[in-house]
């Protein structure tokens, strides 16, 4: 049974916080292989993470 | 190396912005920054990192202490609260749970360049402010302060499931806001 995009985004988000189970990993990978939107989504939440980690360096000193 | 208060005071505005972004409360931000500067005066700075990094490290601890204390006093209105509702993103998906054609994420152009742009960071801050306070707090603890889920759950006395739902919401909302206001096809960069 193929994951929906909604479920895939939940897993992609969870993967940033915990180790997915093997079955979750497989389902997510199968979904990403055929879904461009979810591949973009996964990349984008990755970028959001790098941005968060670098946020402190980019706070303006003004006001 | 002992520090004089003038050297420390120079970092105050920065620390205040950092604390405000995490706590969303000007009074509390003032307090934790004050405590941070006091602690810094009494400590000794080994000079292995920059002064700002060192101060930020102290500030993070103060912020987490405050959050912990608050959740002990008034446990998170966690269960079933707004933080956990996911239906606000339902509109992005069709009935089968697939992206609607207009909401399907398109690739973001030049993300590296964005991170170098001052304007991007302004947009990022504005987008972060759109999140509900609790959501923003969990997001900050995870993505800005780099705490792991267990630490966050413990500090806020929420469950791991709770935490993961909140983080999902945070990422969805920030992604959507950045997409519309920075990477988006019509508005676009610069």
């Amino acid at each position: 049974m193929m994951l929906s995009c909604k479920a895939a985004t939940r897993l992609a988000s969870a993967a940033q916080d915990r180790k997915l189970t093997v079955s979750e990993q497989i389902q997510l990978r199968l979904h990403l292989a055929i879904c461009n939107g979810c591949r973009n989504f996964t990349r984008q939440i990755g970028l959001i993470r790098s941005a968060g980690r670098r946020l402190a360096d980019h706070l303006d000193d003004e006001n | 190396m002992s520090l004089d208060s003038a050297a420390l005071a120079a970092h105050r505005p920065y620390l205040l912005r950092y604390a405000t972004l995490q706590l969303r409360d000007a009074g509390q931000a003032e307090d934790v920054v004050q405590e941070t500067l006091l602690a810094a005066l009494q400590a000794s700075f080994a000079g292995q990192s920059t002064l700002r990094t060192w101060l930020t490290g102290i500030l993070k601890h103060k912020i987490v202490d405050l959050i912990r204390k608050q959740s002990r006093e008034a446990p998170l209105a966690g269960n079933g609260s707004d933080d956990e509702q996911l239906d606000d993103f339902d509109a992005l998906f069709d009935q089968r749970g697939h992206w609607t054609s207009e909401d399907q994420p398109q690739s973001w152009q030049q993300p590296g360049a964005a991170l170098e742009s001052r304007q991007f960071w302004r947009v990022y801050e504005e987008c972060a402010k759109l999140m509900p306070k609790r959501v923003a707090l969990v997001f900050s603890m995870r993505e800005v302060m780099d705490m792991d889920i267990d630490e966050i759950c413990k500090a806020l006395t929420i469950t791991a499931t709770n935490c993961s739902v909140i983080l999902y919401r945070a990422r969805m909302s920030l992604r959507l806001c950045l997409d519309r206001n920075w990477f988006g096809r019509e508005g676009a960069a610069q």
Side-chain angles (χ1 to χ4, degrees), chain A residues 55-63, chain B residues 8-18 52 55-56 118 121-122 125:
Chain A
L55 178 65
D57 305 331
H58 291 275
L59 290 178
D60 288 333
D61 278 328
E62 320 136 23
N63 63 71
Chain B
L8 291 177
H11 294 281
R12 198 171 175 284
Y14 167 83
L15 296 172
L16 210 48
R17 278 178 70 101
Y18 189 96
R52 176 171 287 187
L55 289 170
T56 310
R118 272 172 80 92
W121 289 101
R122 257 190 225 128
E125 265 191 80

Side-chain angles (χ1 to χ4, degrees), chain B residues 144-162:
Chain B
V144 182
M145 295 162 75
D146 196 8
M147 295 170 64
D148 67 37
I149 294 293
D150 291 345
E151 286 178 278
I152 298 172
C153 292
K154 221 190 280 170
L156 294 173
T157 54
I158 56 178
T159 65
T161 311
N162 245 323

Side-chain angles (χ1 to χ4, degrees), chain B residues 60-153:
Chain B
K60 280 187 194 176
H61 282 288
K62 299 286 179 196
I63 292 172
V64 175
D65 284 346
L66 178 68
I67 292 168
R68 212 172 266 144
K69 194 167 145 251
Q70 283 177 334
S71 352
R72 262 201 309 268
E73 285 163 5
L76 248 199
N79 306 324
S81 81
D82 294 351
D83 297 349
E84 287 162 75
Q85 279 170 20
L86 288 171
D87 45 2
D88 42 357
F89 298 109
D90 274 359
L92 302 175
F93 302 100
D94 66 20
Q95 292 194 322
R96 282 155 52 241
H98 296 301
W99 297 105
T100 65
S101 53
E102 68 187 74
D103 289 311
Q104 161 139 332
Q106 304 296 311
S107 112
W108 284 355
Q109 302 304 311
Q110 301 187 292
L115 298 188
E116 300 304 323
S117 153
R118 272 172 80 92
Q119 254 167 306
F120 170 80
W121 289 101
R122 257 190 225 128
V123 173
Y124 182 99
E125 265 191 80
E126 289 310 311
C127 285
K129 283 185 197 152
L130 295 179
M131 297 181 211
K133 192 172 168 180
R134 296 255 65 129
V135 173
L137 179 62
V138 176
F139 178 80
S140 270
M141 291 170 94
R142 179 74 189 118
E143 304 290 45
V144 182
M145 295 162 75
D146 196 8
M147 295 170 64
D148 67 37
I149 294 293
D150 291 345
E151 286 178 278
I152 298 172
C153 292

